[in-house]
């Protein structure tokens, strides 16, 4: 069982940023309105995620660490309309198998629970007085899988990856107040008041957010809403392109291409816009079950969506008469 979990961890947990992603997605699935992330040494020493969500009932806590124990899918049909972020029931057992992990949780209706796993083994389980919500503390990631450690890049790169994932998760959830701190410095803080533009301000700065153009569009299948930068406010990296489908941050090569195409010749070679694009569509047209990390999605009618994005951006930029 520990070995199976370590193998699963090999797919889902590649680096500190993967831990942050899985823990924050769990916090979001638990309907948290505040999520605070604290990391030490770029997450290699410690990652702590605290939420004020539903918590886990005392009797279910150990179960949550069993493989494929997910509370989020009940039958096969659910798999095709997943709106919650997690659904494989792999994250907690995977992380627990390759790190030292303490989870303290309470539903608010009963005394909370605190469990401690290390290298996949249960070390301690006890009652714990905690307020409603969940705090997960992951330390010494990959301490027992030295091969994994070899693939870890410099602390700066790992921290940038963590920042990236938190930015994107925060952008996908303007209704949730996020904070990310590293070694005592607050790197991200969003208001959580539901306003996308204010969330963008919390991440890319107030001045940049003010200069971005709002876009909206819809056809029979898709609704788009977002903010795009002017061609002069571009970056040398794709990191600043965030595309979300039904509240989930995704990666899709064709959609990225259609964004770039929307800027046409206005975009210099090697430059990329700052974009936050929220797409709403029938969940039946999205297949999220392509990769364990769940970021790559397949879409029905992908060409139609790509063209809608390209045209909307093209017309919005042209409308600015640059
Ligand atoms: P999945 O998210 O795919 O269901 P995980 O291994 O990430 O699987 O989590 C297992 C289960 O533990 C979840 O289904 C959920 O019931 C519970 N859980 C994990 N984290 C939290 C949290 N922060 N708040 C409430 N419940 C949680
Ligand atoms: Mg999960």
């Amino acid at each position: 069982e520990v070995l199976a979990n370590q193998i699963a961890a090999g797919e889902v947990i590649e680096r500190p940023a993967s831990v942050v992603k899985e823990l924050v997605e769990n916090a979001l699935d638990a309907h948290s309105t505040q999520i605070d992330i604290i990391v030490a040494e770029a997450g290699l020493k410690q990652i702590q995620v605290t939420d004020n969500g539903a918590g886990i009932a005392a009797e279910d806590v150990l179960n949550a660490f069993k493989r494929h124990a997910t509370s989020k899918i009940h039958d096969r049909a659910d798999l095709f309309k997943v709106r919650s972020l997690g659904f494989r029931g792999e994250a907690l057992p995977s992380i627990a198998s390759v790190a030292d992990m303490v989870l303290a949780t309470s539903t608010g209706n009963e005394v909370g629970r605190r469990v401690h796993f290390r290298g996949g083994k249960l070390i301690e389980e006890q009652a714990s007085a905690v307020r409603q919500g969940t705090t997960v503390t992951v330390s010494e990631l990959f301490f027992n899988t030295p091969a994994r450690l070899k693939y870890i890049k410099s602390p700066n790169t790992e921290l940038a990856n963590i920042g990236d994932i938190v930015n994107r998760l925060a952008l996908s959830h303007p209704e949730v107040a996020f904070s990310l701190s590293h070694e005592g410095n607050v790197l991200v803080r969003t208001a959580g008041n539901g306003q996308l533009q204010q969330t963008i301000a919390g991440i890319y700065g107030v001045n940049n957010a003010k200069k971005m153009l709002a876009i909206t569009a819809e056809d029979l299948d898709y609704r788009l809403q977002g903010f795009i930068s002017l061609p002069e406010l571009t970056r040398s990296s794709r990191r600043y392109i965030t595309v979300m489908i039904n509240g989930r941050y995704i990666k899709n090569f064709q959609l990225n291409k259609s964004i770039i195409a929307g800027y046409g010749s206005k975009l210099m070679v090697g430059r990329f816009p700052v974009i936050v694009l929220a797409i709403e569509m029938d969940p039946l047209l999205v297949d999220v079950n392509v990769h364990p990390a769940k970021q790559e999605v397949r879409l029905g009618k992908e060409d139609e969506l790509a063209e809608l994005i390209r045209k909307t951006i093209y017309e919005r930029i042209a409308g600015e008469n640059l």
Side-chain angles (χ1 to χ4, degrees):
E1 180 73 3
V2 171
L3 184 62
N5 287 331
Q6 284 182 357
I7 291 167
E11 288 184 6
V12 185
I13 308 298
E14 292 187 310
R15 47 183 10 96
S18 335
V19 174
V20 172
K21 173 174 181 288
E22 294 296 334
L23 297 182
V24 171
E25 287 188 345
N26 282 345
L28 288 167
D29 285 343
H31 306 291
S32 307
T33 57
Q34 173 142 15
I35 301 177
D36 297 302
I37 305 140
I38 302 176
V39 297
E41 289 179 16
L44 291 161
K45 186 169 172 206
Q46 193 168 83
I47 295 167
Q48 183 172 73
V49 176
T50 299
D51 71 52
N52 65 349
I56 309 175
E59 59 174 45
D60 295 333
V61 173
L62 281 183
N63 233 341
F65 285 85
K66 300 219 170 89
R67 250 186 118 203
H68 303 304
T70 175
S71 57
K72 297 168 194 170
I73 290 227
H74 304 288
D75 55 43
R76 222 183 107 76
D78 283 352
L79 201 54
F80 293 94
K81 43 186 191 214
V82 254
R83 271 198 90 103
S84 59
L85 298 164
F87 55 88
R88 288 169 183 272
E90 278 181 345
L92 292 189
S94 297
I95 299 167
S97 74
V98 293
D100 187 282
M101 181 167 183
V102 174
L103 180 146
T105 188
S106 169
T107 59
N109 306 317
E110 54 180 0
V111 180
R113 249 14 240 167
R114 183 182 179 280
V115 290
H116 177 189
F117 282 85
R118 186 176 175 84
K121 291 198 192 73
L122 179 64
I123 306 285
E124 195 176 31
E125 193 212 351
Q126 61 196 137
S128 170
V130 284
R131 59 167 184 71
Q132 189 196 318
T134 303
T135 296
V136 182
T137 310
V138 175
S139 315
E140 298 173 64
L141 183 63
F142 301 138
F143 79 93
N144 57 348
T145 53
R148 267 286 143 187
L149 269 182
K150 275 201 300 206
Y151 289 97
I152 294 297
K153 306 226 169 71
S154 72
N156 280 343
T157 306
E158 297 303 336
L159 188 60
N161 283 327
I162 290 174
D164 245 29
I165 211 81
V166 173
N167 286 350
R168 286 169 158 152
L169 289 165
L171 287 167
S172 338
H173 293 273
E175 76 288 0
V176 177
F178 277 82
S179 75
L180 167 65
S181 342
H182 179 246
E183 311 282 348
N185 301 313
V186 178
L187 305 181
V188 175
R189 188 187 292 285
T190 65
N193 64 0
Q195 301 296 315
L196 182 56
Q197 197 166 15
Q198 284 190 34
T199 310
I200 294 173
I203 289 168
Y204 297 134
V206 179
N207 287 337
N208 287 333
K210 271 196 204 139
K211 284 189 220 141
M212 289 171 79
L213 309 172
I215 55 167
T216 53
E218 69 178 287
D219 69 7
L220 284 175
D221 297 302
Y222 300 105
R223 252 165 45 107
L224 315 183
Q225 208 207 327
F227 289 89
I228 67 174
S229 64
L230 292 162
E232 65 257 27
L233 196 88
T234 55
R235 304 286 157 95
S236 59
S237 153
R238 283 186 183 79
R239 263 179 207 265
Y240 301 90
I241 298 178
T242 300
V243 179
M244 300 161 294
I245 292 188
N246 297 343
R248 182 197 298 269
Y249 152 61
I250 60 129
K251 284 183 181 159
N252 180 293
F253 181 71
Q254 200 192 345
L255 299 189
N256 273 1
K257 254 180 39 182
S258 69
I259 288 170
I260 309 292
Y263 282 82
S265 56
K266 300 241 159 67
L267 206 60
M268 282 195 296
V269 177
R271 301 294 293 178
F272 301 94
V274 183
I275 287 217
V276 180
L277 186 59
I279 301 163
E280 289 289 325
M281 61 189 284
D282 184 344
L284 287 171
L285 286 177
V286 195
D287 182 1
V288 290
N289 203 13
V290 177
H291 184 267
K294 299 176 305 235
Q295 286 177 358
E296 208 73 50
V297 300
R298 269 193 215 118
L299 302 173
K301 307 193 191 181
E302 191 165 287
D303 294 343
E304 176 192 322
L305 176 59
E307 176 52 18
L308 183 65
I309 292 172
R310 189 203 61 77
K311 184 168 155 261
T312 305
I313 293 176
Y314 181 83
E315 286 170 0
R316 188 69 180 84
I317 301 272
E320 285 294 297
N321 262 328
L322 301 167

